Amino acid sequence: MRLFIFTVLLVVATAIEFKVKKDGKVCALLTLNGALDLEATQQETLISKSELKFEKATLIESSTCNLIKLNLTSSAEMWFQFDAAQKDWKVTPVSLFVPESVFGKDVNETDPVTLKASSLELFPQDGYYKCNSASEFSFVPETETVEFNYTVKAKVSDFQIQSADGDDFKTKGKVCAADKKPSEYMCKNGNKTIIMMEGNFTLAITYLNVTGANVTENIIVPAPEDADTEGVCDEKATTESLSIGFFKTWAIHFDFKKKDSNFFISNMSVTYTFDDNLPHHAANGSRTVELPISTEYLKASTKGYYICNSELDKSNEGVTLTSKNFKYRAFDEKSAGFDGDVSECSADESSSSVVPIAVGAALAGLVVIVLVAYLIGRKRSRKTGYESV
Ligand SMILES: *[C@@H]1O[C@H](CO)[C@@H](O)[C@H](O)[C@H]1NC(C)=O
Ligand SMILES: *[C@@H]1O[C@H](CO)[C@@H](O)[C@H](O)[C@H]1NC(C)=O
Ligand SMILES: *[C@@H]1O[C@H](CO)[C@@H](O)[C@H](O)[C@H]1NC(C)=O
Ligand SMILES: *[C@@H]1O[C@H](CO)[C@@H](O)[C@H](O)[C@H]1NC(C)=O
Ligand SMILES: *[C@@H]1O[C@H](CO)[C@@H](O)[C@H](O)[C@H]1NC(C)=O
Ligand SMILES: *[C@@H]1O[C@H](CO)[C@@H](O)[C@H](O)[C@H]1NC(C)=O
Ligand SMILES: *[C@@H]1O[C@H](CO)[C@@H](O)[C@H](O)[C@H]1NC(C)=O
Ligand SMILES: *[C@@H]1O[C@H](CO)[C@@H](O)[C@H](O)[C@H]1NC(C)=O
Ligand SMILES: *[C@@H]1O[C@H](CO)[C@@H](O)[C@H](O)[C@H]1NC(C)=O
């Protein structure tokens, strides 16, 4: 039974692949998952609807290298039309169907309807376009329909398309925005980014090596795109958390609290494992070390964010966490990001006050010089007996 469920899941999760051949050679490729959803309405009343899964689709023989045609049922098709736009492809999804065959007798239109969706982002002709994340193509009729209105949407995932010679997808191409790797450590709730953190973190870990000596290893915490960041950031909560995961089992964990109109870090810990990152380690297993922090550590207003470009560090039990160019914001229910009131660490404030102090000192110097020059000038004019008014 368990094996059966596993097999079914595997089938569902695998995208279907289509290959168009010309003279026996593959010249266009398409993989996708999902379904085409069709609805027929009359004066906003739903008359009938239908879902056509892509896993049942077949490639229509008249497809060309620049027009991939899928047969969804005997009377519904979805096409991908390639038009050259200088060195790029502009791909337009097209859908065609005969209403009566798709919806049944209640929708008695027998003339085929053609609909088009907005084109995909342009991508190089010698590359692919790829979007693993779920996306939607919304199709709009080419000509206005009379008796019925049709809403046609393709819900697509694991999508990849190409029109270029070769059995496989090329090694380069365009990736949709939703698939791009994050450039910040973050926690999202729906489409809102509630916690955002930036910074260059390093860990210094002192441990006993097999020769019985204490050694210190410096570890650079991977950038957001190479880390596995997870968080808890429910809407309206007063505690949130963020874990920057890396090296499979290592993590830096932050808890945040909100009090009045401020937020701050309430707990900070480091989890590490005696693995290849700590060469010749004597002990085995994982350890979690809580770092001692002051109450309301790195506090900022909920109207803004906290910043500390200078180095910050905290140590405990042979573990030191250091940050540089650190910035964070939590409880950001409006997804404002790094915008608004800035709370700065004192180290940054004293370095940023160097410029005003220098300017002030220069001005004071200038006043003294002018004063001295004036006094000397006055003395000289007295000597010559020349009296000014
Ligand atoms: C189709 O939709 C338009 C705009 O929403 C509406 O004005 C029109 O009455 C609808 N036609 C039918 C047949 O439902
Ligand atoms: C689509 O497939 C159906 C069978 O499922 C077949 O009857 C029909 O002829 C096909 N249409 C095209 C255009 O290949
Ligand atoms: C569709 O059916 C309606 C009644 O159910 C009828 O009035 C109409 O003329 C039919 N339209 C077509 C194109 O057959
Ligand atoms: C986020 O999703 C909501 C509905 O789910 C939508 O109204 C809103 O426009 C979306 N915001 C962004 C920035 O995409
Ligand atoms: C420091 O962090 C920034 C922002 O996350 C990143 O762009 C930069 O590459 C990092 N620098 C180093 C040396 O890791
Ligand atoms: C353990 O650390 C000591 C002191 O740094 C060093 O001399 C020794 O070679 C290390 N042993 C191993 C096996 O790395
Ligand atoms: C290694 O460091 C720990 C903690 O600082 C200390 O207790 C221990 O005595 C040290 N061992 C050696 C061999 O220096
Ligand atoms: C801080 O976090 C660590 C690890 O998540 C946990 O073990 C510890 O109890 C927490 N301390 C406080 C004061 O919440
Ligand atoms: C740690 O694990 C290694 C390999 O699994 C083993 O050889 C070694 O004896 C273990 N050391 C300790 C202190 O448990």
Side-chain angles (χ1 to χ4, degrees):
M1 187 60 195
R2 198 171 269 179
L3 193 74
F4 170 73
I5 291 170
F6 180 70
T7 318
V8 170
L9 281 177
L10 207 68
V11 168
V12 171
T14 314
I16 324 103
E17 187 171 51
F18 301 96
K19 291 185 176 186
V20 180
K21 285 186 183 170
K22 189 187 170 193
D23 304 329
K25 283 185 184 151
V26 176
C27 66
L29 282 167
L30 168 68
T31 67
L32 82 173
N33 240 328
L36 189 71
D37 284 343
L38 306 102
E39 277 182 17
T41 55
Q42 212 162 22
Q43 266 74 49
E44 307 199 358
T45 308
L46 179 70
I47 306 295
S48 183
K49 64 177 183 178
S50 177
E51 183 188 56
L52 306 174
K53 293 214 165 91
F54 299 138
E55 67 189 45
K56 297 220 179 85
T58 54
L59 187 73
I60 296 174
E61 268 188 42
S62 60
S63 295
T64 68
C65 309
N66 295 331
L67 186 62
I68 304 178
K69 296 182 179 176
L70 301 186
N71 184 358
L72 303 180
T73 62
S74 57
S75 64
E77 296 176 13
M78 188 163 81
W79 299 357
F80 291 94
Q81 180 188 318
F82 291 75
D83 294 300
Q86 284 160 351
K87 286 186 172 169
D88 291 332
W89 283 128
K90 182 178 147 199
V91 170
T92 311
V94 180
S95 114
L96 304 87
F97 66 96
V98 176
E100 198 183 66
S101 321
V102 169
F103 296 112
K105 285 272 176 288
D106 291 341
V107 184
N108 59 352
E109 267 182 350
T110 49
D111 288 337
V113 183
T114 305
L115 310 93
K116 275 191 178 173
S118 337
S119 307
L120 309 177
E121 264 183 281
L122 297 183
F123 62 95
Q125 292 193 1
D126 57 353
Y128 59 75
Y129 173 82
K130 185 177 177 177
C131 197
N132 285 331
S133 311
S135 62
E136 208 172 76
F137 306 141
S138 264
F139 293 93
V140 178
E142 285 278 84
T143 53
E144 222 167 281
T145 52
V146 187
E147 289 247 21
F148 300 91
N149 273 341
Y150 302 108
T151 309
V152 180
K153 284 189 174 125
K155 290 190 175 136
V156 181
S157 64
D158 305 309
F159 183 80
Q160 194 168 5
I161 196 165
Q162 164 177 302
S163 173
D165 293 337
D167 266 331
D168 298 304
F169 283 106
K170 303 287 180 194
T171 50
K172 57 178 183 150
K174 184 132 197 164
V175 174
C176 66
D179 279 6
K180 295 237 170 80
K181 299 281 179 69
S183 57
E184 268 129 13
Y185 304 106
M186 59 166 106
C187 179
K188 288 191 133 197
N189 190 336
N191 59 3
K192 288 185 193 151
T193 305
I194 308 279
I195 307 174
M196 235 164 122
M197 189 182 275
E198 240 178 63
N200 304 110
F201 298 104
T202 51
L203 284 173
I205 297 187
T206 303
Y207 62 99
L208 215 57
N209 76 4
V210 286
T211 344
N214 274 333
V215 289
T216 301
E217 189 69 27
N218 289 308
I219 307 273
I220 295 170
V221 176
E225 51 269 38
D226 301 318
D228 190 8
T229 309
E230 278 180 14
V232 179
C233 51
D234 297 327
E235 219 149 333
K236 304 265 184 293
T238 54
T239 57
E240 292 180 349
S241 68
L242 191 75
S243 281
I244 301 173
F246 53 101
F247 303 163
K248 292 202 176 82
T249 52
W250 293 47
I252 302 172
H253 183 89
F254 300 90
D255 285 339
F256 310 99
K257 275 204 165 77
K258 186 158 107 170
K259 204 167 133 192
D260 305 324
S261 54
N262 293 306
F263 63 87
F264 52 87
I265 296 178
S266 60
N267 190 353
M268 223 160 78
S269 65
V270 171
T271 301
Y272 66 95
T273 301
F274 291 103
D275 58 18
D276 294 344
N277 297 293
L278 302 175
H280 311 297
H281 53 90
N284 282 339
S286 283
R287 282 186 78 204
T288 295
V289 173
E290 198 179 325
L291 300 171
I293 53 172
S294 53
T295 50
E296 310 201 345
Y297 184 54
L298 311 186
K299 184 166 83 172
S301 155
T302 48
K303 292 201 196 90
Y305 61 100
Y306 187 90
I307 186 164
C308 192
N309 289 321
S310 312
E311 275 193 12
L312 283 173
D313 59 57
K314 287 286 170 210
S315 307
N316 194 19
E317 295 173 32
V319 174
T320 303
L321 171 64
T322 306
S323 71
K324 266 199 88 173
N325 306 319
F326 180 74
K327 257 192 206 176
Y328 89 105
R329 181 172 193 157
F331 304 96
D332 187 10
E333 268 149 33
K334 291 191 181 130
S335 248
F338 293 129
D339 197 13
D341 295 352
V342 178
S343 304
E344 214 176 4
C345 58
S346 52
D348 278 11
E349 271 172 13
S350 53
S351 65
S352 63
S353 58
V354 164
V355 171
I357 287 171
V359 170
L363 281 175
L366 210 65
V367 166
V368 169
I369 290 167
V370 168
L371 204 67
V372 167
Y374 168 76
L375 290 175
I376 291 172
R378 227 169 83 138
K379 222 174 171 184
R380 277 202 187 149
S381 60
R382 273 213 188 129
K383 259 185 193 162
T384 53
Y386 187 89
E387 218 37 70
S388 60
V389 188

mmCIF file of all heavy atoms in Angstrom, residues 183-185 197-201 220-221 223-225 324-325, ligand 5:
data_model
loop_
_atom_site.group_PDB
_atom_site.id
_atom_site.type_symbol
_atom_site.label_atom_id
_atom_site.label_comp_id
_atom_site.label_asym_id
_atom_site.label_seq_id
_atom_site.Cartn_x
_atom_site.Cartn_y
_atom_site.Cartn_z
ATOM 1 N N SER A 183 18.295 37.111 -2.028
ATOM 2 C CA SER A 183 19.545 37.807 -1.747
ATOM 3 C C SER A 183 19.583 38.263 -0.294
ATOM 4 O O SER A 183 20.466 38.981 0.125
ATOM 5 C CB SER A 183 19.712 38.991 -2.690
ATOM 6 O OG SER A 183 18.608 39.836 -2.542
ATOM 7 N N GLU A 184 18.574 37.846 0.465
ATOM 8 C CA GLU A 184 18.526 38.160 1.890
ATOM 9 C C GLU A 184 18.080 36.925 2.654
ATOM 10 O O GLU A 184 17.399 36.066 2.120
ATOM 11 C CB GLU A 184 17.492 39.262 2.144
ATOM 12 C CG GLU A 184 18.067 40.639 2.114
ATOM 13 C CD GLU A 184 17.284 41.542 1.205
ATOM 14 O OE1 GLU A 184 16.183 41.163 0.819
ATOM 15 O OE2 GLU A 184 17.792 42.618 0.875
ATOM 16 N N TYR A 185 18.454 36.873 3.938
ATOM 17 C CA TYR A 185 17.900 35.846 4.811
ATOM 18 C C TYR A 185 16.498 36.344 5.151
ATOM 19 O O TYR A 185 16.364 37.491 5.590
ATOM 20 C CB TYR A 185 18.744 35.713 6.083
ATOM 21 C CG TYR A 185 20.209 35.426 5.825
ATOM 22 C CD1 TYR A 185 21.174 36.412 6.010
ATOM 23 C CD2 TYR A 185 20.625 34.165 5.390
ATOM 24 C CE1 TYR A 185 22.523 36.154 5.777
ATOM 25 C CE2 TYR A 185 21.978 33.901 5.165
ATOM 26 C CZ TYR A 185 22.912 34.892 5.352
ATOM 27 O OH TYR A 185 24.241 34.631 5.124
ATOM 28 N N MET A 197 16.804 39.952 6.751
ATOM 29 C CA MET A 197 18.095 40.122 7.419
ATOM 30 C C MET A 197 19.206 40.061 6.393
ATOM 31 O O MET A 197 19.134 39.282 5.440
ATOM 32 C CB MET A 197 18.268 39.022 8.464
ATOM 33 C CG MET A 197 19.469 39.240 9.351
ATOM 34 S SD MET A 197 19.684 37.912 10.531
ATOM 35 C CE MET A 197 18.625 38.417 11.853
ATOM 36 N N GLU A 198 20.201 40.929 6.587
ATOM 37 C CA GLU A 198 21.353 40.957 5.703
ATOM 38 C C GLU A 198 22.579 41.000 6.569
ATOM 39 O O GLU A 198 22.526 41.534 7.669
ATOM 40 C CB GLU A 198 21.303 42.260 4.897
ATOM 41 C CG GLU A 198 21.222 42.082 3.417
ATOM 42 C CD GLU A 198 21.137 43.436 2.739
ATOM 43 O OE1 GLU A 198 22.090 44.232 2.857
ATOM 44 O OE2 GLU A 198 20.098 43.693 2.122
ATOM 45 N N GLY A 199 23.681 40.491 6.099
ATOM 46 C CA GLY A 199 24.893 40.616 6.886
ATOM 47 C C GLY A 199 25.915 39.585 6.484
ATOM 48 O O GLY A 199 25.610 38.591 5.834
ATOM 49 N N ASN A 200 27.167 39.848 6.857
ATOM 50 C CA ASN A 200 28.240 38.888 6.619
ATOM 51 C C ASN A 200 28.578 38.305 7.985
ATOM 52 O O ASN A 200 29.121 38.988 8.838
ATOM 53 C CB ASN A 200 29.448 39.598 6.004
ATOM 54 C CG ASN A 200 29.068 40.325 4.720
ATOM 55 O OD1 ASN A 200 29.037 41.546 4.671
ATOM 56 N ND2 ASN A 200 28.774 39.560 3.691
ATOM 57 N N PHE A 201 28.224 37.050 8.152
ATOM 58 C CA PHE A 201 28.414 36.385 9.445
ATOM 59 C C PHE A 201 29.616 35.450 9.402
ATOM 60 O O PHE A 201 29.830 34.761 8.403
ATOM 61 C CB PHE A 201 27.184 35.554 9.803
ATOM 62 C CG PHE A 201 25.925 36.355 9.964
ATOM 63 C CD1 PHE A 201 24.958 36.345 8.971
ATOM 64 C CD2 PHE A 201 25.702 37.115 11.101
ATOM 65 C CE1 PHE A 201 23.789 37.078 9.114
ATOM 66 C CE2 PHE A 201 24.540 37.847 11.256
ATOM 67 C CZ PHE A 201 23.581 37.830 10.252
ATOM 68 N N ILE A 220 33.007 30.813 7.567
ATOM 69 C CA ILE A 220 32.223 31.872 6.912
ATOM 70 C C ILE A 220 30.824 31.326 6.654
ATOM 71 O O ILE A 220 30.665 30.280 6.019
ATOM 72 C CB ILE A 220 32.886 32.326 5.597
ATOM 73 C CG1 ILE A 220 34.234 32.977 5.918
ATOM 74 C CG2 ILE A 220 31.985 33.289 4.837
ATOM 75 C CD1 ILE A 220 35.096 33.251 4.714
ATOM 76 N N VAL A 221 29.841 31.993 7.211
ATOM 77 C CA VAL A 221 28.453 31.543 7.032
ATOM 78 C C VAL A 221 28.031 31.840 5.590
ATOM 79 O O VAL A 221 28.234 32.952 5.105
ATOM 80 C CB VAL A 221 27.523 32.261 8.043
ATOM 81 C CG1 VAL A 221 26.064 31.893 7.814
ATOM 82 C CG2 VAL A 221 27.953 31.914 9.465
ATOM 83 N N ALA A 223 26.244 32.806 2.076
ATOM 84 C CA ALA A 223 25.335 33.889 1.674
ATOM 85 C C ALA A 223 23.905 33.344 1.555
ATOM 86 O O ALA A 223 23.715 32.133 1.417
ATOM 87 C CB ALA A 223 25.806 34.463 0.348
ATOM 88 N N PRO A 224 22.903 34.242 1.592
ATOM 89 C CA PRO A 224 21.497 33.797 1.571
ATOM 90 C C PRO A 224 21.177 32.788 0.463
ATOM 91 O O PRO A 224 20.444 31.836 0.707
ATOM 92 C CB PRO A 224 20.731 35.092 1.352
ATOM 93 C CG PRO A 224 21.602 36.136 1.941
ATOM 94 C CD PRO A 224 23.021 35.691 1.728
ATOM 95 N N GLU A 225 21.744 32.983 -0.736
ATOM 96 C CA GLU A 225 21.390 32.079 -1.841
ATOM 97 C C GLU A 225 21.901 30.660 -1.617
ATOM 98 O O GLU A 225 21.391 29.720 -2.203
ATOM 99 C CB GLU A 225 21.835 32.629 -3.205
ATOM 100 C CG GLU A 225 23.274 33.055 -3.312
ATOM 101 C CD GLU A 225 23.491 34.525 -2.976
ATOM 102 O OE1 GLU A 225 22.825 35.048 -2.052
ATOM 103 O OE2 GLU A 225 24.340 35.146 -3.634
ATOM 104 N N LYS A 324 29.044 41.667 10.224
ATOM 105 C CA LYS A 324 29.451 42.950 9.621
ATOM 106 C C LYS A 324 28.350 43.326 8.642
ATOM 107 O O LYS A 324 27.667 42.447 8.106
ATOM 108 C CB LYS A 324 30.771 42.780 8.846
ATOM 109 C CG LYS A 324 31.993 43.125 9.673
ATOM 110 C CD LYS A 324 33.189 43.386 8.780
ATOM 111 C CE LYS A 324 33.246 44.853 8.361
ATOM 112 N NZ LYS A 324 34.478 45.156 7.636
ATOM 113 N N ASN A 325 28.190 44.598 8.408
ATOM 114 C CA ASN A 325 27.153 45.089 7.483
ATOM 115 C C ASN A 325 25.796 44.466 7.815
ATOM 116 O O ASN A 325 25.083 43.995 6.944
ATOM 117 C CB ASN A 325 27.515 44.761 6.033
ATOM 118 C CG ASN A 325 28.880 45.269 5.662
ATOM 119 O OD1 ASN A 325 29.249 46.387 6.058
ATOM 120 N ND2 ASN A 325 29.649 44.480 4.952
HETATM 121 C C1 LIG B 5 28.376 40.416 2.520
HETATM 122 O O1 LIG B 5 26.957 40.442 2.461
HETATM 123 C C2 LIG B 5 26.450 41.050 1.290
HETATM 124 C C3 LIG B 5 24.942 41.126 1.422
HETATM 125 O O2 LIG B 5 24.381 39.917 1.866
HETATM 126 C C4 LIG B 5 26.891 40.250 0.079
HETATM 127 O O3 LIG B 5 26.418 40.847 -1.101
HETATM 128 C C5 LIG B 5 28.400 40.176 0.059
HETATM 129 O O4 LIG B 5 28.807 39.349 -1.011
HETATM 130 C C6 LIG B 5 28.931 39.632 1.363
HETATM 131 N N1 LIG B 5 30.361 39.708 1.345
HETATM 132 C C7 LIG B 5 31.114 38.706 1.708
HETATM 133 C C8 LIG B 5 32.580 38.946 1.674
HETATM 134 O O5 LIG B 5 30.621 37.621 2.036
#
